[in-house]
Amino acid sequence: MDSRDEMYGRFSVALAKLEACKEFAALIPEVRTNLVYATGDAKERSDVLAVEGRVTIIGGMPHASGKPVFGASSHMARLMIELRKVDPRVRAGVDFANTPALAAWLEDYCREKRWIFSMIDRRNEPDSIKEEECASMPWKVAEAVRAAGNRAPKIFYETGAIGKEPVSVLVGGDPIEVVEQVCEIARRYADER
Amino acid sequence: MDSRDEMYGRFSVALAKLEACKEFAALIPEVRTNLVYATGDAKERSDVLAVEGRVTIIGGMPHASGKPVFGASSHMARLMIELRKVDPRVRAGVDFANTPALAAWLEDYCREKRWIFSMIDRRNEPDSIKEEECASMPWKVAEAVRAAGNRAPKIFYETGAIGKEPVSVLVGGDPIEVVEQVCEIARRYADER
Amino acid sequence: MDSRDEMYGRFSVALAKLEACKEFAALIPEVRTNLVYATGDAKERSDVLAVEGRVTIIGGMPHASGKPVFGASSHMARLMIELRKVDPRVRAGVDFANTPALAAWLEDYCREKRWIFSMIDRRNEPDSIKEEECASMPWKVAEAVRAAGNRAPKIFYETGAIGKEPVSVLVGGDPIEVVEQVCEIARRYADER
Amino acid sequence: MDSRDEMYGRFSVALAKLEACKEFAALIPEVRTNLVYATGDAKERSDVLAVEGRVTIIGGMPHASGKPVFGASSHMARLMIELRKVDPRVRAGVDFANTPALAAWLEDYCREKRWIFSMIDRRNEPDSIKEEECASMPWKVAEAVRAAGNRAPKIFYETGAIGKEPVSVLVGGDPIEVVEQVCEIARRYADER
């Protein structure tokens, strides 16, 4: 297999695991979830594999609306590309809901796992950046890294800005690992609430 | 056909028309679109037909993630039920994007069509209501009606609250009519920008 | 609604009922099922609404592979057009499995319902016709009508030719009626075996 | 990845390649195509990965009706299990159309490729076997192997029995390889006719 086929295979396995995790449905935000997987030298959106149409909820289960396609994501793809400038080992990511209760729980969970946790306070975002959607991603990633003590975080979230649903993001080296981690979070959080 | 079958038939026709309107894809918000159709005596969510998993974008076209199901919508279904208390002729609705540019354009468009246009300024929302998601719908509908001079509006939108994507809503008596109207908006707006 | 929209609506209702009938899954043949609905003046394939990709089985339930599309069927569409030359009240049809046991059961069932039952014995088919797929439909319909005493049958089946899976066909004036009838057959046959 | 995940990944890559091959749509038989992938020690149907609902045609392209699922195939899974008794290197297979013209072309193609080609003449099948569907697979595989000079064939087909559509089968060690081979056949055959 060439490397894009290899990626497609791992991504398909990861996506099937995500679709099989009932508890994750409760963590899908209004904007829906995406799962992304960047090539080892990703420079632009078309280098990032994602689910076309995002992952929604059908019959109470996570459900990929479309197929895995390179270039299918904009927001999460740009996030990957920026974050990889700080830590090139990061290749995959998934976004999910964020509420104050979940954010507090995640902070404890990350402490237990010894994972770096961070937060982007969009109230700190300069106005000049807010106005242009594409300009805000470098700032957001820089802020998440800065707030984590100049390290790439494992999990981070944004405080909601006006008109923007806050989401949490979990990143890692591989989409299967990332999905297994977010599904464990979904199951633990469902149990403990 | 019994009346739920009749509704399912009209809804399917409407949804096929929405999926065939390429220009509407540009108006699908981050939270995705839903199309809803309430029974003539809708009292609760299960009386409102909607698309399970909402309408997303695949291959550049609007695409229903799942099938039409009674009870598939929460937010838009509650909106229908509240609005029908003011104007029971309202049976169907569709939500779509909102930006300052689109809102201004829609206001002009409504004037041209002699449609009632309204706006919900969520900065006016009492804090006691904001805290509980389900409590805010009666306030929102009341506010949209009040701001339109105590009349049910044809199109209205919310100014974004923190963490909430602003959306526009168009309502009417029938889902086919509502889809034809929102598709005309999508085509006109694409032409004129 | 124009008449094609009206057809699309009734067809969607019929298809949803077929997909909800678990017992029908046992009657889906290897070649898969199609449901067809002809316009009142159908002359060619593009005048017949059918399921693109046919109806298959997913999770033990009948499942439409694609959407209703005018022109999606070849075989069943040609059958409709030919049969309508004999009885223009026929507008809809559905094909399903055929085994010797089911054929015998259907014959009894038709007697009980006072429905005309017929059979096409493809061993009678002239060799000149067999060679060309499209030529055989007029012969098949003529044979089904002849064997039923020069009347359009309600249900008929073909005895298998070499290389051709035998199927049963049920026809009627409307796709919802036709689906309700074939689902009652599926449920009764599942009960009585 | 555990070995079933690894299989799922390779199968997903193979299936995406099959769905992207327009020319293969012309080779999908009435009974639809399946792609299968057996575990290294497959003993029963549940050890064979296949497409739930088979591969049909939507918009002129091959289209998987459902997802890859272990146990989703009956016929092709049993074929794999039998053939692996003769040649355990065989792990994957795909079935496709068979016509006299295609069969003759395939025979030449196999000669060019130095692939073993075989044929199952179902007129030779003992009546005692024909009556029971599950009993015929061991006979069919034995016949294909016998007719190839006691070797497992690369491509073989069945002559049509009464009520059975004849299909061709291509097998190999891996689903991606098998799909690439059958797609090359589809493209070459489309070019040369």
Side-chain angles (χ1 to χ4, degrees), chain A residues 30-32 52-54 56-60 63 65-66 160-166, chain B residues 30-32 52-54 56-60 63 65-66 160-166:
Chain A
E30 293 296 325
V31 297
R32 314 290 112 170
E52 196 174 16
R54 301 187 188 163
T56 188
I57 306 170
I58 303 279
H63 175 85
S65 293
I162 288 189
K164 302 283 178 190
E165 183 182 12
Chain B
E30 293 296 325
V31 297
R32 312 291 114 168
E52 196 174 16
R54 301 186 188 165
T56 186
I57 306 170
I58 302 280
H63 175 85
S65 293
I162 287 189
K164 303 282 178 190
E165 183 182 11

Side-chain angles (χ1 to χ4, degrees), chain C residues 83 86-87 116-118 141 144-154:
Chain C
L83 194 56
V86 179
D87 185 350
I116 299 168
F117 182 70
S118 190
V141 168
V145 168
R146 188 200 60 72
N150 293 315
R151 297 172 302 174
K154 176 71 179 171

Side-chain angles (χ1 to χ4, degrees), chain D residues 86-136:
Chain D
V86 178
D87 185 350
R89 292 169 305 180
V90 172
R91 295 277 301 273
V94 60
D95 58 351
F96 56 104
N98 183 267
T99 60
L102 178 58
W105 187 93
L106 284 172
E107 192 164 6
D108 287 348
Y109 186 82
C110 284
R111 199 172 297 121
E112 179 195 316
K113 290 276 186 183
R114 297 174 185 245
W115 284 351
I116 299 168
F117 182 69
S118 191
M119 190 259 267
I120 302 160
D121 187 340
R122 295 195 68 176
R123 288 171 305 183
N124 296 339
E125 191 176 1
D127 287 342
S128 59
I129 284 168
K130 275 180 195 164
E131 281 151 30
E132 207 191 333
E133 175 59 20
C134 292
S136 71

Side-chain angles (χ1 to χ4, degrees), chain D residues 57-182:
Chain D
I57 307 169
I58 302 280
M61 298 296 285
H63 175 85
S65 293
K67 290 176 187 280
V69 175
F70 280 92
S73 167
S74 167
H75 184 88
M76 283 290 287
R78 284 182 286 114
L79 187 152
M80 279 290 112
I81 289 166
E82 284 303 316
L83 194 57
R84 285 175 43 74
K85 293 175 186 172
V86 178
D87 185 350
R89 292 169 305 180
V90 172
R91 295 277 301 273
V94 60
D95 58 351
F96 56 104
N98 183 267
T99 60
L102 178 58
W105 187 93
L106 284 172
E107 192 164 6
D108 287 348
Y109 186 82
C110 284
R111 199 172 297 121
E112 179 195 316
K113 290 276 186 183
R114 297 174 185 245
W115 284 351
I116 299 168
F117 182 69
S118 191
M119 190 259 267
I120 302 160
D121 187 340
R122 295 195 68 176
R123 288 171 305 183
N124 296 339
E125 191 176 1
D127 287 342
S128 59
I129 284 168
K130 275 180 195 164
E131 281 151 30
E132 207 191 333
E133 175 59 20
C134 292
S136 71
M137 190 58 78
W139 177 83
K140 286 202 279 185
V141 169
E143 177 66 9
V145 168
R146 188 201 59 74
N150 293 318
R151 297 172 301 174
K154 177 71 179 170
I155 298 183
F156 54 98
Y157 72 97
E158 299 174 18
T159 58
I162 287 188
K164 303 282 177 189
E165 184 182 11
V167 291
S168 306
V169 176
L170 181 154
V171 299
D174 175 87
I176 299 175
E177 172 198 293
V178 152
V179 163
E180 287 173 346
Q181 290 166 344
V182 88

Side-chain angles (χ1 to χ4, degrees), chain A residues 63-101:
Chain A
H63 175 85
S65 293
K67 290 176 188 281
V69 175
F70 280 92
S73 167
S74 167
H75 184 88
M76 284 291 288
R78 284 182 286 114
L79 187 153
M80 278 291 112
I81 289 166
E82 284 303 318
L83 194 57
R84 285 174 45 72
K85 293 176 184 171
V86 179
D87 184 350
R89 290 170 305 180
V90 172
R91 296 275 302 272
V94 61
D95 58 350
F96 56 104
N98 184 267
T99 60

